[in-house]
Amino acid sequence: MAKMYTPEMEKIAKKKAKRNKPIKSTPAYEAWKRFRRNKTAIIGLIVVGLLILVALFANFIAPYDYQAQDYTAMMQKPSSAHLFGTDQFGRDIFSRCVYGARYSLFIALFCTIAALFSGGLLGIIAGYCGGKVDTIIMRIMDIFQSIPMIMMAMCIVSVLGNGIPQLVAAVMFASMPTMARNNRAAILRVRGCDYIESSEAIGVGQMKMIFKHMIPNAAGVMIIYFVGFLAVSIMMMSSMSYIGVGLAAPTPEWGLILNDGKSYLTSSPYMMLFPALMIMITCFAFNLLGDGLRDAFDPKSK
């Protein structure tokens, strides 16, 4: 007697077939599988994700306004009312650190994107064109790179003045030579592949060659450099704000919070402890994430 299939049984059979269907293996999927096996990289990803959530929902997480001054609660140690204590103006340090995540992360993101679209584009052009174009671009980058990054950024901010646009421009110009050199190396790594030579042989245009064939295949290495530069940008911003040439008060940037607490290091060390921990944890998380991405995109780790 033939077995009768109902519509419900047919739906169940289709779901089982779809569930048991093998996933098509792609380079991105293989990289994700290697990344998942790296526990430290997952920890870095989780910490970065939490910091992004803190930055996005700072208005709901912070118990006080970061500018609110309470002269009856000045220099209070950490307590249930003020988790990280208060500063010399009675401002809640926890709220300032929470809002500081928004400023530090987003400004670092803008700085790194600006460096990628300036120095990174120059590096891509130099790596693809080669010859005199490569020599001219990289020699100019060598001149910029001869000046330490933090010193160049400080000089630019000193000329342009304090403010977020000025800080973004300073970090962008300071990071541009290194970003150009890294992206040039990523393009040169792809430049000698057989499929690039085949594309050139059949007459593929230069723009199509760069944006359709070379950049997508070098994107993994570029992402690693991009994530690593986020930590560098945060360190540079915090360093400049700490010495007084970054953002202006009362912006709740982590370096500025450190600057506010340096005069009270011996009497109230908590004023510097918590913002310093925020900087350390953030940069450490980005470094863990960058190392995990490097291992995931490295073909030798297969």
Side-chain angles (χ1 to χ4, degrees), residues 24-104:
K24 185 179 179 181
S25 180
T26 61
Y29 180 71
E30 293 297 326
W32 169 243
K33 287 200 301 185
R34 291 192 294 270
F35 183 82
R36 286 187 304 179
R37 291 195 293 265
N38 192 331
K39 294 182 179 179
T40 57
I42 293 297
I43 293 173
L45 179 62
I46 292 173
V47 174
V48 170
L50 290 175
L51 288 169
I52 292 174
L53 290 176
V54 169
L56 291 174
F57 299 102
N59 296 341
F60 304 98
I61 298 173
Y64 303 95
D65 183 2
Y66 70 86
Q67 298 186 74
Q69 300 180 7
D70 184 3
Y71 293 104
T72 62
M74 294 188 301
M75 307 296 292
Q76 287 190 0
K77 295 182 178 180
S79 61
S80 58
H82 302 281
L83 296 179
F84 291 177
T86 60
D87 61 9
Q88 69 273 27
F89 299 110
R91 297 175 298 189
D92 183 63
I93 297 178
F94 175 75
S95 300
R96 289 179 64 77
C97 287
V98 168
Y99 276 96
R102 174 178 294 180
Y103 281 86
S104 297

Side-chain angles (χ1 to χ4, degrees), residues 178-213:
T178 307
M179 187 69 77
R181 190 170 294 277
N182 291 338
N183 282 353
R184 173 180 176 270
I187 292 297
L188 288 176
R189 186 178 180 181
V190 179
R191 188 76 173 82
C193 294
D194 294 337
Y195 62 87
I196 296 296
E197 295 179 359
S198 301
S199 300
E200 290 179 341
I202 62 176
V204 176
Q206 292 186 352
M207 299 300 292
K208 185 177 181 180
M209 178 75 71
I210 293 174
F211 290 101
K212 187 175 180 180
H213 297 287

Side-chain angles (χ1 to χ4, degrees), residues 150-168:
I150 186 67
M151 187 174 294
M152 178 181 288
M154 288 170 55
C155 293
I156 294 173
V157 169
S158 299
V159 172
L160 299 179
N162 294 344
I164 294 178
Q166 294 88 335
L167 185 62
V168 171

Side-chain angles (χ1 to χ4, degrees), residues 13-22:
K14 287 183 179 179
K15 287 182 180 179
K16 286 183 179 180
K18 187 176 181 180
R19 186 166 55 246
N20 297 328
K21 185 179 179 181

